Amino acid sequence: MFSSLATELGVRRLLVAAGQAPSVLNTQPWRFRVVRREFVEVFADPDRRLRVSDPRGRNQYVSCGAALFNLRLAIRTAGQRPMVWLLPSPEEEPGLLAAVRMGGASPAMDEHRELYDLISVRRTSRRPFADQRLPRAVLAELRVAASREGATLIPLDRHATADMLDYAAIAEDELARDHEYRAELAAWTMPGARYDGLPGCTHGPHALEDPSPLRDFGRQEGEARFEERPQLAVLTTMGDRPVDWLKAGQALQRVLLVAARNDVSASFLNQSLDLRDIRQRRDPHHRRGHPQMIIRLGYGPYVARSPRRPAAELETG
């Protein structure tokens, strides 16, 4: 049986797809190893972990989970069934987050092909969105997408959204006083700091609204009025362990690709989660789970993609 890993071109196709996943500050904190042309192993790249804002590694695991979802899709559309083991060897290789074996032949479904084609289309947009509410049917699709990966997507109502924006603003103010945090943020967002990271053209304008529905990266491009009623949703998992973070990442990417299928844009408002991790604060248990991502959804303009690491740089020996 032909394997996706049988040729260099096949391996490159998988790595390119995985490498287009979203990641915190576009750190792209993943590496991959091909084993005996039978497995692809997903590793956390220690050189790209945000050690100040992500002391537990939660954001890195979520990012790598999103890359894992893209890898699964690429294998599916090549006509094989991916067999996934999360954290297969936590004691011997703690940096090994997942192993994916090339399973038997399995014709790709239309949905697999559709979502795979959207990998290169999906963008994170920090631009103003239209004052147009997402239809209930679209929100239902996004919630189903999260549930298929073992997570829950909770759309917030008007009052919960106002509270979440206030929490984000308070966290933003507190983080702005943390010199180490600001230095780490600048290393990934300031012009000339890196060839990758977040280029200035993706930062978005400064919001005239208070509290802002946008994260402040310290170098906003101009000013703009954002949507009057931002639409926020919280992605949660029942647990808050590394395996749950990987599930959250896979759920996040499925949600974002389904959103792209419906022409819905997305950005993130995770300052309060960063502050929680930095201060080592425990999340109060909630029947709907632990928040892993706070997502702003809406209808926005086309935006440029963030730079990507070359596929050759992603493979480790």
Side-chain angles (χ1 to χ4, degrees):
M1 181 187 70
F2 176 78
S3 168
S4 302
L5 302 177
T7 65
E8 291 300 322
L9 184 61
V11 171
R12 179 182 174 82
R13 175 181 174 275
L14 298 185
L15 297 189
V16 167
Q20 293 186 74
S23 59
V24 59
L25 300 187
N26 200 39
T27 48
Q28 304 169 68
W30 42 64
R31 297 291 294 275
F32 305 92
R33 182 170 68 193
V34 177
V35 182
R36 299 190 304 274
R37 299 289 177 177
E38 296 175 5
F39 289 86
V40 179
E41 295 178 329
V42 183
F43 288 85
D45 188 336
D47 294 333
R48 288 174 169 260
R49 176 174 167 183
L50 300 172
R51 300 191 179 281
V52 176
S53 62
D54 191 25
R56 294 195 295 164
R58 184 185 64 83
N59 274 324
Q60 184 174 40
Y61 276 61
V62 171
S63 299
C64 289
L68 173 60
F69 182 81
N70 280 2
L71 180 64
R72 288 167 47 201
L73 264 185
I75 294 170
R76 279 287 190 187
T77 56
Q80 290 183 272
R81 181 167 55 91
M83 303 172 64
V84 180
W85 289 265
L86 298 180
L87 304 175
S89 185
E91 294 183 0
E92 291 80 5
E93 289 190 279
L96 176 57
L97 306 188
V100 186
R101 183 184 179 92
M102 304 297 107
S106 178
M109 299 172 60
D110 289 343
E111 183 188 27
H112 298 145
R113 297 190 187 92
E114 192 174 24
L115 294 183
Y116 174 79
D117 289 342
L118 288 164
I119 288 175
S120 60
V121 175
R122 182 213 62 81
R123 301 283 192 272
T124 298
S125 175
R126 300 173 183 84
R127 301 289 170 180
F129 294 164
D131 283 312
Q132 176 184 351
R133 309 304 293 173
L134 267 63
R136 289 185 179 180
V138 172
L139 285 173
E141 273 192 65
L142 300 180
R143 296 180 69 178
V144 168
S147 69
R148 290 181 64 181
E149 300 298 330
T152 302
L153 186 72
I154 306 171
L156 302 185
D157 61 22
R158 180 193 293 263
H159 298 295
T161 293
D163 288 344
M164 188 64 74
L165 291 172
D166 285 339
Y167 297 150
I170 292 168
E172 187 98 65
D173 288 343
E174 188 168 341
L175 290 170
R177 296 192 291 272
D178 187 319
H179 296 294
E180 291 186 345
Y181 175 86
R182 287 167 53 193
E184 184 175 71
L185 188 68
W188 288 92
T189 62
M190 289 297 101
R194 304 184 62 92
Y195 73 87
D196 48 9
L198 285 179
C201 63
T202 66
H203 289 191
H206 175 74
L208 295 172
E209 293 76 15
D210 188 22
S212 170
L214 198 70
R215 187 171 185 172
D216 183 8
F217 289 124
R219 183 179 174 268
Q220 310 305 91
E221 299 289 327
E223 293 184 335
R225 188 166 299 282
F226 280 68
E227 58 270 26
E228 183 177 347
R229 290 177 55 195
Q231 299 173 84
L232 302 184
V234 180
L235 184 73
T236 70
T237 53
M238 290 310 296
D240 193 31
R241 301 166 300 160
V243 68
D244 300 297
W245 306 336
L246 289 172
K247 290 178 181 178
Q250 293 174 87
L252 173 67
Q253 180 63 344
R254 184 183 281 272
V255 166
L256 294 178
L257 292 178
V258 171
R261 184 171 66 189
N262 288 279
D263 297 320
V264 173
S265 300
S267 62
F268 307 106
L269 203 68
N270 289 326
Q271 300 95 310
S272 56
L273 301 184
D274 286 352
L275 185 62
R276 175 196 66 184
D277 290 347
I278 290 172
R279 300 292 184 255
Q280 301 291 326
R281 294 171 180 166
R282 296 294 298 172
D283 224 15
H285 180 72
H286 190 279
R287 65 183 178 84
R288 301 181 80 174
H290 297 267
Q292 304 296 352
M293 297 293 290
I294 301 167
I295 310 170
R296 167 179 162 252
L297 299 164
Y299 296 98
Y302 173 84
V303 295
R305 66 176 295 177
S306 298
R308 295 290 158 177
R309 301 169 70 186
E313 187 181 304
L314 301 181
E315 190 172 357
T316 184

